[in-house]
Amino acid sequence: MASPLAAKIAREYGTPALVVDMDRVERNIARVQKICDDAGVANRPHIKTHKSPLLARLQIEAGAKGITCQKLGEAEVMADGGINDILISYNLIGDEKMARLGALLARTSVTVAADNPVVITGLRVAAAAAGRALPVVIECDTGRKRAGVETPAEAIALAGQIVSTPGLSFAGLLMYPTETGWSEAQRFYDEALAGLRELGLDPAIVSTGGSPNLKNVGKLKGATEHRPGTYIYNDRMQVAAGVATWDDCALHVYSTVVSRAAPGRGILDAGSKTLTADTGGLDGYGLILEHPEARIARFAEEHGFLDLTKSNTRPAVGDVVRIVPNHVCVVVNMADEAVMVRGDEIVGILPVAARGKLR
């Protein structure tokens, strides 16, 4: 049997639906802002999770220094929404992006990341188009083996290229240490800092990242800011990482059971187009709050296959259930909007304004 709120959402908006508990959102914003404040580092939240200027403004009003975006398109949406201190933590390449970056820089404060000479060479075009200096941070790989220079010597060399490139200014270093790799990150930073100072440079920004690293905020001596993103909503991955509880999970996917063709199985109307195929290293594709022993075992595009063989309670056809996603960031990007609630009341619709900004 659906709760009154679930029944109302299903009746007025249909399912599957993304539902955001604004009370929990505000608690999460306040909690993480306090973590950063207590550690003496600025909070620069990553908006790739919520993709909403409205929520970005709530974060800034609570004390955040500015925001982080992964893609230029996200930054453009945020600037249109009135956000004026934006870090783009991603290599930007190509004439089309340089034209857009120049236009963005001309109207708001933007810092960009780079980890190679090709990117740095291209960025001068954007600075020239804007007619103002473009600050650049060097992305450093401190263990994730994603993007970023792998040695302090590379970081020092890129800093030298930045300061010798017309229109660019060296702003600092950007890192995303692994949850257990902060001592290695410290060694990287200390060596890089010594080399930078030999060039007469001091990083104004030393940025660390990630909601899974909230328990490590402030551990890097010299850090000036942290870039958490998922914390505003949280998900199964954050609970598994020990940085959130189920009560901190502010976004649920409401889904209807549309078939129970056999006693041990069922079908949800939320498939891979809603919950996505990102397991996050977890078993199944989300936690059903009403039936935690049930398993969302596999997907078709519009079908979520339920394995109920180990569940003591089993939903009936027509039941609306609440699902905590494995990885909420990618789930948000699948929807145009979310329903905002407080308690049992619907309070509005939240557009996912930066949805689909892949470039």
Side-chain angles (χ1 to χ4, degrees):
M1 179 71 66
S3 70
L5 177 61
K8 185 175 183 181
I9 287 171
R11 182 174 63 252
E12 295 187 10
Y13 298 99
T15 63
L18 272 55
V19 179
V20 174
D21 185 321
M22 291 302 295
D23 292 329
R24 292 187 181 190
V25 162
E26 290 171 359
R27 289 200 302 268
N28 291 339
I29 289 173
R31 177 175 64 89
V32 171
Q33 186 63 48
K34 185 175 187 304
I35 289 172
C36 292
D37 290 346
D38 289 349
V41 299
N43 180 23
R44 185 184 287 279
H46 209 312
I47 62 83
K48 70 182 180 69
T49 300
H50 58 72
K51 302 182 184 296
S52 163
L54 185 152
L55 296 188
R57 288 193 295 271
L58 289 182
Q59 291 170 311
I60 291 170
E61 289 165 6
K65 175 183 180 181
I67 62 167
T68 307
C69 297
Q70 200 76 339
K71 291 300 181 76
L72 180 56
E74 294 176 336
E76 290 167 332
V77 171
M78 293 298 133
D80 290 343
I83 309 302
N84 58 14
D85 187 345
I86 301 171
L87 167 65
I88 303 175
S89 56
Y90 200 87
N91 285 328
L92 300 176
I93 294 178
D95 293 343
E96 183 265 349
K97 288 189 176 62
M98 291 308 100
R100 290 165 56 203
L101 177 60
L104 182 65
L105 179 63
R107 64 187 176 107
T108 194
S109 174
V110 183
T111 302
V112 297
D115 76 351
N116 64 76
V118 173
V119 170
I120 292 169
T121 298
L123 290 174
R124 65 183 179 184
V125 175
R132 61 189 292 194
L134 174 61
V136 183
V137 293
I138 298 167
E139 184 170 7
C140 305
D141 174 30
T142 50
R144 289 192 184 271
K145 302 303 176 187
R146 194 166 67 175
V149 296
E150 292 205 335
T151 67
E154 292 175 276
I156 295 162
L158 287 184
Q161 181 186 356
I162 290 168
V163 297
S164 65
T165 300
L168 304 186
S169 63
F170 171 68
L173 304 173
L174 181 140
M175 302 177 178
Y176 189 5
T178 66
E179 287 86 297
T180 58
W182 285 62
S183 58
E184 292 85 349
Q186 188 71 61
R187 287 193 292 272
F188 188 110
Y189 170 70
D190 290 345
E191 185 177 337
L193 180 63
L196 290 169
R197 285 178 171 169
E198 288 181 5
L199 296 178
L201 300 174
D202 234 326
I205 297 172
V206 179
S207 184
T208 58
S211 293
N213 273 322
L214 285 170
K215 52 194 171 186
N216 294 316
V217 171
K219 283 187 178 179
L220 183 76
K221 185 179 178 182
T224 65
E225 66 179 39
H226 191 70
R227 309 181 314 279
T230 312
Y231 78 94
I232 193 167
Y233 287 154
N234 289 306
D235 53 24
R236 281 184 81 199
M237 290 172 62
Q238 303 311 306
V239 174
V243 295
T245 68
W246 298 121
D247 285 341
D248 297 323
C249 293
L251 183 145
H252 299 142
V253 176
Y254 281 46
S255 178
T256 301
V257 178
V258 295
S259 175
R260 283 292 316 281
R265 65 184 174 90
I267 297 293
L268 297 172
D269 64 359
S272 62
K273 284 184 177 179
T274 302
L275 293 171
T276 84
D278 190 347
T279 66
L282 302 168
D283 181 50
Y285 293 93
L287 175 78
I288 299 176
L289 293 174
E290 291 81 4
H291 306 280
E293 295 164 332
R295 183 169 177 265
I296 305 174
R298 60 191 179 94
F299 286 140
E301 288 179 90
E302 308 292 359
H303 297 71
F305 290 75
L306 289 178
D307 177 356
L308 303 172
T309 56
K310 296 182 179 180
S311 182
N312 292 324
T313 60
R314 299 182 179 185
V317 171
D319 282 1
V320 179
V321 298
R322 298 167 299 156
I323 303 166
V324 179
N326 288 0
H327 188 184
V328 71
C329 306
V330 287
V331 169
V332 170
N333 195 53
M334 303 298 282
D336 291 324
E337 62 186 24
V339 181
M340 295 185 290
V341 301
R342 291 186 186 274
D344 290 329
E345 297 297 321
I346 297 172
V347 296
I349 295 297
L350 179 68
V352 185
R355 181 198 177 202
K357 300 300 182 181
L358 304 180
R359 57 181 179 85

